[in-house]
Amino acid sequence: MLSKYEIHKKNILNKIYEKEKISRKDLHELLDLRFATITKIVKELIKEGIIKETGKKRKKEVGRPHSLLKIIPDSRFFIGCELSPEKITGVILNFKGEIIINNKTNIDKKDTKKGILKKIVSLLENIITKSKIEKKEICGIGFVDPGIVDVKKGISVFSSILPQWKNVETKKYIEEKLNIKTFIIGSSQAKVLSEKFFGEGKDSKNFIFVEFGDGIACGIMSEGKIIHGLGGVAGEFGHIKIYDRKEICNCGKIGCLEAIASIPAIEKKVMKTTGKKLNINEIIYEYEKNNLEIKRTIDDVFEIFALSISNLINLLNPELVILDKNFLLFEKFLDVFIKKIKINMVYEYSIKFKISNFKENIGAIGGACLSLSKFLGLDI
């Protein structure tokens, strides 16, 4: 439990971060704190090397100009680590979201959960060593999990795309090995954080991020806060059930959207209908050539996926939908796909659709953003 003073300190730091440059007087007006408290905390933050004074802001009224405060970008650092079915990705960010270092390591289907944990720690040790950043300047690790997580306990409960990853005390293991405060978050929620801090969602309080890849999920930002749900597992969009579909999902249930429209599901369907083992890029090439067997398969996926996103929009009423970068695989057909979404909206309003600008590091960056948000004391 933070003391009242520590809460004030985080609030001040958060405002400096949010405004980029701000005077003590403006902090006083925005936070309704005693000037003496602000002065004391600012002195501490300057002494700790986190903020500095820069320039002057001359007010219209008569009197001394006020010096401005700003965060020093490379004064503290934040680690993000994402586990996916094929690899582990690690990044270190500074306050501005600049990637100081990033690296990845492959995992194998034969890897046990203990083996995966060892690879996670080894990767993190590697990027910390190579970055030459002192541990005292690292403010936390945000671990991004591919499945269902217990955020409070820091446990990876279950993953439909990584079957061996069950009931893993991830947070505890990483903290014991590295002695760095660790937080845990689901993949789609981490990606929403990336978009909110440094991406397309920066200026939006109400948006959704639709994840499309090995799995399907949805991160939800509502009034500037992530919808976590009771156990931190809100947004399992890939496991909504599609009526009268018999595809078996990795979660063990039948008719999940993920079993119909994820990239592995598409590849599996094409294999079944054509007898050919094609990867997603080869499938798209054949689709563009108007291969009728493949066209029927992909058009079916488009219809179901678009309708599902329409239902999501009808339920949540976001101002913005950010689509995973993987949607660019179907770039030539995106306009048609978005039209299909809009047709099934209960009413057409000025909703925006954007493609994420992040590449493969989006999840790990979101983990670092989680660590950053905790450091700033943000209720997000």
Side-chain angles (χ1 to χ4, degrees), residues 9 16 49 74 122 158 249 251 264 274 286-287 303 313 316 364:
K9 189 172 181 178
I16 298 170
D74 289 326
S122 176
F158 166 75
C249 184
C251 73
T274 68
E286 291 296 323
Y287 182 70
E303 289 291 339
I313 292 168
L316 299 170

Side-chain angles (χ1 to χ4, degrees), residues 272-329:
K272 190 174 180 180
T273 56
T274 68
K276 296 177 182 178
K277 190 174 182 180
L278 304 176
N279 63 39
I280 191 66
N281 290 301
E282 292 167 330
I283 290 167
I284 293 162
Y285 176 74
E286 291 296 323
Y287 182 70
E288 289 173 356
K289 284 173 59 181
N290 209 28
N291 179 314
L292 291 181
E293 282 184 307
I294 288 177
K295 192 173 187 307
R296 279 194 292 268
T297 300
I298 299 299
D299 286 346
D300 176 59
V301 169
F302 275 4
E303 289 291 339
I304 291 169
F305 208 169
L307 177 60
S308 300
I309 294 173
S310 301
N311 289 336
L312 203 57
I313 292 168
N314 291 338
L315 184 67
L316 299 170
N317 190 215
E319 60 186 290
L320 170 66
V321 176
I322 303 174
L323 299 173
D324 192 296
K325 192 89 170 179
N326 280 332
F327 279 97
L328 285 178
L329 289 165

Side-chain angles (χ1 to χ4, degrees), residues 9-10 12-14 16-17 20 41-53 69-78 95-96 136-139 372 375-376:
K9 189 172 181 178
K10 283 190 179 291
I12 287 172
L13 187 60
N14 180 24
I16 298 170
Y17 180 82
E20 295 186 3
I41 289 173
V42 165
K43 278 184 180 178
E44 277 186 22
L45 291 170
I46 291 172
K47 188 176 180 181
E48 290 168 12
I50 299 174
I51 68 171
K52 66 179 181 180
E53 292 184 286
L69 305 166
K70 68 177 291 186
I71 285 177
I72 301 168
D74 289 326
S75 61
R76 295 293 184 273
F77 300 91
F78 310 90
F95 270 114
K96 288 181 109 177
K136 66 181 182 180
E137 294 177 343
I138 296 172
C139 298
L372 171 58
F375 182 73
L376 293 172

